[in-house]
Amino acid sequence: MAGGGPGSRLADALAGGLALGITSGLILSRAWLTTVTQIWLTLRHRTPLRLGRFLDDCRRRHLLRTVGPIYQFRHAELQDHLRERP
């Protein structure tokens, strides 16, 4: 039996569907967009790659405080010092 029996066509359809699902999941996923954004910020603006962990660590060390979803410096002197540096 040469080529394309029903089992072969079914396997091809399943493989194509799986490939389409994985590709669309990667392209349309917010996680993918978040990862690309984090890498871009790291390369372009030299932010830490895991920015959320960094901010949480700063909050635990009492350098930052949170007001709702916003991080604020606890010490105006530190903020002024960082603002002066390029």
Side-chain angles (χ1 to χ4, degrees), residues 11-84:
D12 289 346
L14 287 174
L18 182 63
L20 180 64
I22 290 172
T23 302
S24 64
L26 287 175
I27 291 172
L28 300 176
S29 169
R30 290 186 189 262
W32 177 253
L33 181 60
T34 301
T35 302
V36 170
T37 302
Q38 287 175 339
I39 291 170
W40 181 79
L41 285 171
T42 298
L43 295 174
R44 179 83 169 106
H45 298 288
R46 296 176 44 192
T47 61
L49 184 58
R50 295 183 176 170
L51 186 58
R53 287 184 185 181
F54 175 76
L55 293 173
D56 286 340
D57 185 51
C58 289
R59 188 178 51 81
R60 276 193 308 275
R61 294 172 189 250
H62 301 288
L63 297 171
L64 297 175
R65 66 176 172 224
T66 53
V67 178
I70 298 170
Y71 286 91
Q72 296 177 337
F73 283 100
R74 283 192 177 272
H75 309 284
E77 224 175 277
L78 174 62
Q79 184 176 0
D80 293 339
H81 174 74
L82 293 174
R83 185 183 303 135
E84 291 172 5

